[in-house]
Amino acid sequence: MNVTSATGSTSKSNTTDSTKNTASNTVDYNTFLQLLVAEMKNQDPTNPMDTSQYMSQFAQLSTVEQAMQTNSKLDALLSSQSLSQANGLIGKTVSFTDATGANFSGKVVSISINSDGSIATLENGTKVAVGPGLTISQS
């Protein structure tokens, strides 16, 4: 039996597809129900699928969706924690040694948080990644 894609995508997965937004590749309840109805319409009437298989599929979808919601809530919690930690660095004096061996020191005036981590901006405009090798002290 041939089944067409429920999401409308007919391309095969490759390395460039992995960089696309994953939200377009998720299956929600509506898509699941559409697939379920299509499966019921196209099943062999002399050998129908057991209803326990339908319930099992529905339970699996529910579990996956709950895990995805948990992950998004954890991401929000981690972002909030990063902001709280960044707020505590403002006004502190930091020192670090760069890749060339030069030592730098200065007071943190702002923190920016992006997907790569936190970047502290010092009074003199120097930007430094907040992480290993950074020494933080009171002003």
Side-chain angles (χ1 to χ4, degrees):
M1 168 172 76
N2 291 332
V3 179
T4 59
S5 174
T7 58
S9 174
T10 58
S11 65
K12 293 182 180 179
S13 179
N14 61 31
T15 55
T16 58
D17 289 338
S18 64
T19 59
K20 290 182 180 178
N21 186 357
T22 57
S24 64
N25 295 329
T26 60
V27 177
D28 60 1
Y29 281 113
N30 289 334
T31 306
F32 173 77
L33 291 175
Q34 289 173 352
L35 287 170
L36 187 64
V37 168
E39 189 175 9
M40 291 173 74
K41 284 181 181 179
N42 295 309
Q43 70 180 334
D44 182 4
T46 61
N47 187 17
M49 183 185 276
D50 184 18
T51 56
S52 64
Q53 289 177 334
Y54 288 126
M55 295 310 294
S56 174
Q57 290 175 2
F58 188 71
Q60 288 173 349
L61 176 69
S62 178
T63 301
V64 168
E65 187 172 57
Q66 287 175 356
M68 290 171 53
Q69 288 176 357
T70 301
N71 285 343
S72 62
K73 288 179 182 180
L74 284 173
D75 286 342
L77 182 63
L78 288 172
S79 294
S80 176
Q81 183 182 11
S82 293
L83 288 171
S84 295
Q85 289 176 342
N87 185 41
L89 288 177
I90 296 175
K92 304 275 184 175
T93 301
V94 297
S95 58
F96 64 97
T97 305
D98 68 4
T100 64
N103 291 322
F104 294 93
S105 183
K107 186 180 278 191
V108 177
V109 293
S110 69
I111 302 280
S112 62
I113 299 173
N114 56 33
S115 61
D116 296 333
S118 301
I119 306 293
T121 303
L122 306 182
E123 287 177 315
N124 62 4
T126 303
K127 294 187 184 290
V128 60
V130 177
L134 188 70
T135 304
I136 304 167
S137 60
Q138 292 289 354
S139 304

